[in-house]
Amino acid sequence: MSAAPTPAPEGTPSPECLDETVGRGAWELTGSVWFAEGSYWILIKPLRIALILLLAVAARWLVHRTIKRLVRTTSEAGVPTMLRPLRERIPTAPTEPGEFIPERRRQRAEAIGSVLRSLATAFIFGIALLMVLKEFSFDLAPLLASAGIAGVALGFGAQSLVKDLIAGLFMLIEDQYGVGDTVDLGEATGVVESVGLRVTTVRDGRGVLWYIRNGEIIRVGNKSQGWALVVVDLPIGFASTEEATAVLRTAAASVALDPELAPEIVEAPEVLGVEQMTVEGAVIRTVVKTTADGQFAVGRELRRRLAEALENSGITAKIAAARLYPGLPARAPGETGVGGAT
């Protein structure tokens, strides 16, 4: 059997305390028994906890600084980073880097940066909390088991929220749409006003602001990425298709020569010909490839000039006459009929 420890003389710390450097130093400096006996809890434990928290704060600051720098460089045009879109598109921004910061890229980068900062903060301080609890001699096994069960229960209870957040994160990473894009999300079609991790807001053509949860978006039609194709179908009745095609081709070519619209046209307008036949005659299709931003202005001007060309050539009057007197040959006003009748 081992010998019992020798009791310390009255008024002095225990031998175990004097064997420790901190305890012996505290006794020599203060001469206080209780301070020497409790020096481990009074000095060592608080210093360890303070060091853990200090390291956690320093690590959080360093990670946040790195993420902010990454977000800032990502927001600048022409800088290749890990947060750029997964697929390259036709550039619509100026080629000079730093000339201006696109709103969609800035908001996308800031949203992803916010998520990364939140995740980093939760991870770092979570580890620090476990280390502090260990310093207080807490048994972490039951705590971790309880946290796991609580996490599973929370995951089942907040499935829709988690679904929205994950869908929003992937939407931002893939750059499916951004602020200012004209999109078709199914129930809502309009211009994107804000993009978040949980909700996307879209204002439609009547001014209604729609709030769509990202987890509920199953398809996205983006009308503002890359190029667009303007398609115009015009009925010409039973007029000569060759004459109508020549008239429409001349009018379409004039649109490409317009100095205000020329920068928005990627490929010259083309009259494809008869697209379909109906009971009211032929329908001729005209198409023009434009930039995403200029599709609406070019489309409106193209329709106007095609309509004016048909009217000036007399084809519109023939169509109206044919509808007014069905079964009779289509004639423009002023043309003479059988026997010189007008």
Side-chain angles (χ1 to χ4, degrees), residues 66-211:
T66 303
I67 294 175
K68 287 180 180 179
R69 177 175 295 182
L70 182 63
V71 169
R72 185 173 63 253
T73 55
T74 302
S75 299
E76 298 175 359
V79 178
T81 62
M82 62 177 291
L83 295 181
R84 293 191 65 185
L86 297 181
R87 56 184 183 276
E88 295 296 330
R89 301 180 178 86
I90 296 177
T92 57
T95 56
E96 292 294 330
E99 185 171 340
F100 88 108
I101 299 176
E103 176 64 18
R104 61 177 295 153
R105 175 176 291 184
R106 182 194 64 79
Q107 187 173 19
R108 173 173 163 266
E110 289 183 355
I112 297 177
S114 176
V115 175
L116 294 178
R117 289 194 297 269
S118 299
L119 292 176
T121 299
F123 179 78
I124 293 173
F125 281 108
I127 297 297
L129 178 61
L130 293 178
M131 295 178 67
V132 169
L133 292 178
K134 187 178 180 180
E135 290 296 326
F136 285 105
S137 301
F138 275 89
D139 188 3
L140 298 181
L143 180 63
L144 294 177
S146 301
I149 296 174
V152 173
L154 182 62
F156 277 108
Q159 293 184 56
S160 59
L161 177 60
V162 175
K163 180 181 178 182
D164 294 339
L165 295 177
I166 294 177
L169 180 61
F170 276 98
M171 178 272 299
L172 288 171
I173 293 176
E174 296 172 358
D175 194 22
Q176 297 177 8
Y177 54 83
V179 174
D181 285 356
T182 301
V183 297
D184 182 355
L185 302 181
E187 293 294 332
T189 300
V191 179
V192 178
E193 291 202 347
S194 66
V195 179
L197 281 178
R198 195 181 70 86
V199 173
T200 296
T201 58
V202 175
R203 190 175 297 276
D204 65 13
R206 298 189 177 185
V208 180
L209 188 63
W210 294 82
Y211 293 85

Side-chain angles (χ1 to χ4, degrees), residues 46-59:
L47 287 177
R48 285 185 176 180
I49 294 174
L51 181 61
I52 291 173
L53 296 178
L54 182 62
L55 291 177
V57 172

Side-chain angles (χ1 to χ4, degrees), residues 37-54:
E37 293 283 354
S39 59
Y40 182 78
W41 289 96
I42 296 174
L43 297 177
I44 301 300
K45 286 293 185 180
L47 287 177
R48 285 185 176 180
I49 294 174
L51 181 61
I52 291 173
L53 296 178
L54 182 62

